Amino acid sequence: MQMVTHFLVGIIIQKYLFGIIPFPFDIILILILAFLSHILVDCLARLTYHTPSPQKGDKIWLGWHIVIYVTSFLVFIIFCNSYWLVMIVSILFDIWDWYTLRMIQRHFKKNPDWGKKYFLHPIIDKVRNKCFLWLPDLTYEHKGIIVEIVIIISLLLIIIFF
């Protein structure tokens, strides 16, 4: 799913678990769960319009990604005072595989296999294939945007009203 979804799930984890068990164990538990929440959230990405490669010729894809980047930025700015660490931890999978590892791989681009190896996302693929294969696959369908909008709004409502 998109960055904003990971942020919101991390915020919910911290909001509802902080102080439940004695400090510092609550912080440790929150960070572990925020990190692991990435697996669950990405397993549910089959329900959303989430193509594995850019669809730059598709105006809906382009518009959706502009909305998502702006929304992710706004959520980070609005919640960063209290939740910055959990938001970063909730996207560590992507920070490592999509940004850090890709930069390293580009450096070694002479070896064509480098661009195909990721460290953390194969874990998500295994969990998705074992536990979530029954979900409908809307990866390339624009109606998957509606599903993610509903998820994002639901998460925001949980944060605000509960």
Side-chain angles (χ1 to χ4, degrees):
M1 286 210 201
Q2 304 296 345
M3 186 183 311
V4 64
T5 313
H6 291 290
F7 284 168
L8 294 172
V9 170
I11 291 167
I12 288 170
I13 290 168
Q14 179 175 330
K15 184 174 181 175
Y16 294 102
L17 291 182
F18 188 75
I20 291 242
I21 56 177
F23 179 84
F25 302 108
D26 57 347
I27 303 293
I28 295 166
L29 177 64
I30 288 165
L31 295 178
I32 290 169
L33 291 176
F35 179 75
L36 294 176
S37 75
H38 197 100
I39 297 169
L40 175 63
V41 172
D42 271 10
C43 284
L44 298 176
R46 289 174 52 99
L47 293 169
T48 67
Y49 181 58
H50 197 82
T51 61
S53 58
Q55 308 292 312
K56 293 180 182 173
D58 181 355
K59 290 181 181 180
I60 293 174
W61 181 91
L62 189 59
W64 175 237
H65 278 76
I66 290 169
V67 168
I68 282 299
Y69 290 134
V70 169
T71 306
S72 297
F73 177 75
L74 289 174
V75 165
F76 189 81
I77 294 302
I78 291 167
F79 292 102
C80 70
N81 281 343
S82 300
Y83 300 102
W84 66 272
L85 182 58
V86 77
M87 286 191 285
I88 291 171
V89 170
S90 74
I91 61 167
L92 277 179
F93 269 69
D94 291 339
I95 291 171
W96 177 253
D97 276 359
W98 300 145
Y99 302 107
T100 308
L101 205 54
R102 270 193 189 169
M103 288 183 148
I104 293 168
Q105 291 170 356
R106 284 187 186 141
H107 179 72
F108 293 102
K109 65 183 175 186
K110 295 174 188 168
N111 181 350
D113 289 336
W114 268 92
K116 298 176 184 166
K117 294 182 181 175
Y118 297 104
F119 183 69
L120 296 171
H121 280 79
I123 297 167
I124 296 167
D125 294 336
K126 287 178 184 176
V127 173
R128 182 186 298 128
N129 291 335
K130 285 190 183 257
C131 303
F132 294 95
L133 208 52
W134 54 273
L135 289 175
D137 190 354
L138 304 177
T139 304
Y140 290 97
E141 297 186 39
H142 294 138
K143 64 184 174 184
I145 292 171
I146 296 168
V147 175
E148 189 146 17
I149 289 170
V150 168
I151 292 170
I152 291 168
I153 290 171
S154 299
L155 294 171
L156 277 169
L157 290 174
I158 290 168
I159 291 168
I160 294 167
F161 292 112
F162 295 101

